[in-house]
Amino acid sequence: MIDQTKYVIKEHLNRIFKDEEMTVEEPKKGHADLAIPLFSLAKSERVSPIVIFERIREVIESIESVDSVVFQNGFLNIFLERKKNSFEVITSILEQGQSYGDDTVGNGKTVVIDYSSPNIAKSFSVGHLRSTMIGNALKHIYRKLGYTVVGINHLGDWGTQFGKMIVAYHKWGDDQAINANPIATLQALYVRFHEEAERHLELEDQARHALLKLEQGDPEHLRLWQWFKDESLKEFMSMYDMLGVSFDSYDGESFYNDKMQAVVNSLDDMGLLSIDEGATIVNLGESVPPALIKRSDGGTLYITRDLAALLYRYRTYHFEKILYVVGNEQMLHFKQLKMVSDLMGYDFELDHINFGLVLIDGKKMSTRSGQFKRLEDVIEQAISLAKDAITQKNPDLNDKDEIASSVAIGAIIFNDLKNERHLDVDFNLDQMLRFEGQTGPYLQYSGVRINSMIKAHTIDPERLDSSVYQLDHYFDIVKLLDKFPETLYKA
Ligand code: ARG
């Protein structure tokens, strides 16, 4: 309704004013549905805005969806015809149902989204939650716009920490404890390794050696690694189930072990490599530090694996666009990744969808300070808070546990998505579980109310009392509903 009207207005204005650029605005609050600012044209023609107004009022008024126009403060304010427009919006929503807002812009195009990507044998933090929820929201949006979406969980399942983990396991490991509580136990081993390594410097050497054996494919080392990975994944999967998230691929960093040399070779063929103090690098100019491709001991790095992953994904999925949903702290890494892929001559779009930290009481979390929040604990705590609130408000409710869990998870997800993406967010369970204001529980509450109305009544737009649209708050809702497709597209 609004978009189409805007379009028609612009056509008229273009015809009348030829070269003059005229805009059509949507005033935020109340006083009109659309408005055309007349100042700048009035100024350049050296007339009063009212003269311009008189020149165009009739054409605008003659547009079918327009009810009336008014001159006010240098604007031509437009009021839309409410009855027929509302009828059209509501009928088309009822007809299209779930597919309302679907678009075809993405047809035939693929977008790859790399998100969540936690590290094996470490707990899934509320920081990884942000990536998970933002990535998942993007996935839904792109699907609705017609894109083929490939969701990839780039698991952190390779790197120096596994050498440490294996050494720690051999020294202090307990199979039963690992099986019973894999991530917490493995993480404790990792922390202990660091504590002991401060006094026993030889541990670091042992860890390097263990990593080397792992990389050379020693069966016992591989078995341990696989076991740690399987156990960690089990925990991650139960979290994803709770959050309603799934991926098309779980190929993590280790998947690229045998695909890195090929990348190094092609960088070499293109003459992009140079040697700097024994290390192999790609120079990225004055203002950006070089990308470190190989350490002086020949070891590969995070970015080497990301390059291998990027090229593999491009060959496999032929994407137009690849998105990495990762925190602000990896800004430089993705800048370098993009620069290297540019130098290699790729023309796909590569975007770092960055986001802010999760703060607890205004402070950054860290594993060492013990301030670290395991997502599972957080969810459990949220569920119990939600249950308290439900028991208070509605003691006789039947499925308290099930509802508490939906409310709690909804609250956490909503809190994550309502915030400005790139800013830090404060993680405050009491706030996010409130039943009023901009919270998940309030949204769910509204949803439930609306659903129960829809269930109890058949909606026949032909029989709606159209006088309700004359009331601003009803027509405002119609306008919001009408905006949904465009909002989706902008998002
Ligand atoms: N595992 C990394 C971390 O937890 C995030 C990986 C992001 N994805 C990527 N392709 N680099 O910090």
Side-chain angles (χ1 to χ4, degrees):
M1 154 182 87
I2 296 232
D3 275 344
Q4 211 157 348
T5 310
K6 254 171 128 172
Y7 180 79
V8 176
I9 294 175
K10 281 200 174 145
E11 295 246 287
H12 281 303
L13 294 176
N14 284 343
R15 203 168 26 74
I16 300 171
F17 295 113
K18 302 270 166 355
D19 313 319
E20 295 287 344
E21 214 20 79
M22 296 283 276
T23 56
V24 184
E25 295 172 356
E26 287 170 54
K28 280 264 165 336
K29 267 265 160 258
H31 50 273
D33 297 317
L34 293 168
I36 307 173
L38 308 170
F39 285 116
S40 67
L41 186 64
K43 205 173 163 199
S44 68
E45 299 211 349
R46 292 166 195 276
V47 293
S48 149
I50 190 99
V51 175
I52 311 281
F53 172 81
E54 290 302 344
R55 208 187 297 165
I56 57 178
R57 87 177 286 166
E58 234 167 84
V59 228
I60 307 289
E61 256 171 358
S62 72
I63 297 171
E64 212 197 333
S65 54
V66 170
D67 180 61
S68 59
V69 304
V70 177
F71 178 78
Q72 198 183 18
N73 296 331
F75 283 88
L76 183 149
N77 282 343
I78 299 169
F79 296 90
L80 295 175
E81 186 287 325
R82 294 189 169 188
K83 187 174 160 185
K84 200 163 152 281
N85 279 325
S86 302
F87 179 81
E88 273 172 22
V89 169
I90 289 170
T91 318
S92 77
I93 293 174
L94 288 173
E95 271 169 20
Q96 294 173 41
Q98 290 288 329
S99 61
Y100 181 60
D102 283 2
D103 206 320
T104 54
V105 276
N107 286 2
K109 295 182 188 151
T110 296
V111 50
V112 168
I113 309 181
D114 177 319
Y115 64 112
S116 193
S117 310
N119 299 319
I120 293 298
K122 288 196 185 161
S123 50
F124 193 103
S125 69
V126 290
H128 286 114
L129 174 70
R130 289 213 79 187
S131 170
T132 310
M133 293 337 302
I134 295 170
N136 197 50
L138 283 171
K139 174 165 134 180
H140 290 311
I141 292 170
Y142 275 102
R143 289 233 163 109
K144 212 160 161 56
L145 296 177
Y147 286 85
T148 303
V149 182
V150 184
I152 300 183
N153 194 333
H154 189 73
L155 293 169
D157 60 359
W158 205 256
T160 49
Q161 75 263 35
F162 289 96
K164 296 174 182 171
M165 205 74 82
I166 287 170
V167 171
Y169 169 77
H170 280 140
K171 290 206 180 314
W172 317 294
D174 170 352
D175 287 18
Q176 255 179 4
I178 297 180
N179 283 327
N181 204 348
I183 294 184
T185 313
L186 291 170
Q187 181 148 307
L189 279 176
Y190 187 69
V191 171
R192 177 153 178 200
F193 177 92
H194 281 280
E195 282 164 7
E196 305 248 355
E198 280 179 18
R199 278 170 288 128
H200 305 282
L201 299 175
E202 72 279 7
L203 281 177
E204 294 284 355
D205 262 346
Q206 290 174 14
R208 263 190 290 278
H209 185 68
L211 179 66
L212 197 66
K213 281 186 86 164
L214 180 64
E215 292 195 315
Q216 289 164 347
D218 174 85
E220 172 59 11
H221 282 56
L222 271 179
R223 182 188 71 80
L224 286 176
W225 168 80
Q226 188 69 51
W227 175 40
F228 297 162
K229 178 169 167 173
D230 291 346
E231 291 300 324
S232 307
L233 257 181
K234 269 189 224 160
E235 262 192 71
F236 293 156
M237 293 311 255
S238 74
M239 204 101 62
Y240 292 137
D241 270 355
M242 265 200 273
L243 295 170
V245 174
S246 65
F247 300 85
D248 302 296
S249 158
Y250 293 83
D251 288 339
E253 295 190 38
S254 69
F255 180 75
Y256 301 100
N257 280 339
D258 60 356
K259 299 172 183 65
M260 279 182 287
Q261 194 50 47
V263 176
V264 178
N265 293 345
S266 42
L267 286 169
D268 201 15
D269 292 343
M270 294 178 187
L272 293 170
L273 295 180
S274 44
I275 304 292
D276 186 54
E277 295 181 15
T280 308
I281 62 166
V282 175
N283 257 311
L284 299 176
E286 293 287 294
S287 54
V288 180
L292 190 50
I293 304 293
K294 264 187 170 188
R295 269 195 259 272
S296 51
D297 65 6
T300 54
L301 292 110
Y302 182 49
I303 197 166
T304 329
R305 283 189 278 282
D306 252 330
L307 270 171
L310 177 62
L311 304 192
Y312 173 84
R313 292 166 183 177
Y314 190 55
R315 280 199 306 278
T316 311
Y317 306 114
H318 313 285
F319 58 80
E320 317 269 317
K321 206 190 263 202
I322 183 164
L323 306 177
Y324 295 87
V325 189
V326 188
N328 287 337
E329 67 277 7
Q330 294 195 25
M331 203 87 94
L332 176 63
H333 171 76
F334 288 104
K335 188 168 186 179
Q336 292 176 319
L337 186 65
K338 186 172 169 54
M339 287 177 90
V340 176
S341 83
D342 283 349
L343 286 172
M344 293 180 89
Y346 290 103
D347 60 358
F348 46 68
E349 186 182 333
L350 185 163
D351 285 324
H352 176 202
I353 309 297
N354 58 315
F355 55 83
L357 294 170
V358 179
L359 304 176
I360 307 258
D361 303 325
K363 286 196 283 290
K364 185 180 167 173
M365 286 184 291
S366 85
T367 325
R368 304 238 165 122
S369 68
Q371 258 245 334
F372 190 78
K373 293 242 173 180
R374 286 196 338 138
L375 184 60
E376 257 181 324
D377 298 341
V378 171
I379 292 180
E380 253 166 52
Q381 201 186 341
I383 292 177
S384 105
L385 286 173
K387 203 169 161 189
D388 291 347
I390 291 168
T391 313
Q392 250 180 34
K393 279 185 196 281
N394 203 344
D396 306 323
L397 202 66
N398 272 332
D399 352 308
K400 273 196 207 104
D401 286 311
E402 208 189 316
I403 292 174
S405 134
S406 304
V407 170
I409 289 167
I412 293 174
I413 295 176
F414 185 87
N415 177 68
D416 208 288
L417 293 175
K418 83 165 186 191
N419 287 292
E420 195 80 51
R421 199 188 75 221
H422 60 277
L423 298 181
D424 295 347
V425 301
D426 224 336
F427 198 87
N428 181 327
L429 280 182
D430 290 325
Q431 291 272 342
M432 54 179 112
L433 278 164
R434 299 231 311 249
F435 279 77
E436 56 283 312
Q438 278 198 38
T439 66
Y442 185 73
L443 184 72
Q444 287 177 327
Y445 164 78
S446 317
V448 168
R449 291 288 306 268
I450 292 170
N451 274 330
S452 68
M453 283 194 273
I454 293 178
K455 224 167 158 178
H457 307 275
T458 0
I459 298 177
D460 179 357
E462 304 276 358
R463 291 177 52 206
L464 279 182
D465 172 4
S466 61
S467 65
V468 296
Y469 304 125
Q470 302 313 323
L471 302 171
D472 288 346
H473 54 283
Y474 281 104
F475 193 61
D476 282 347
I477 294 177
V478 172
K479 284 201 285 185
L480 265 180
L481 293 171
D482 173 59
K483 282 242 134 231
F484 178 65
E486 192 199 327
T487 305
L488 204 63
Y489 183 80
K490 279 190 187 154

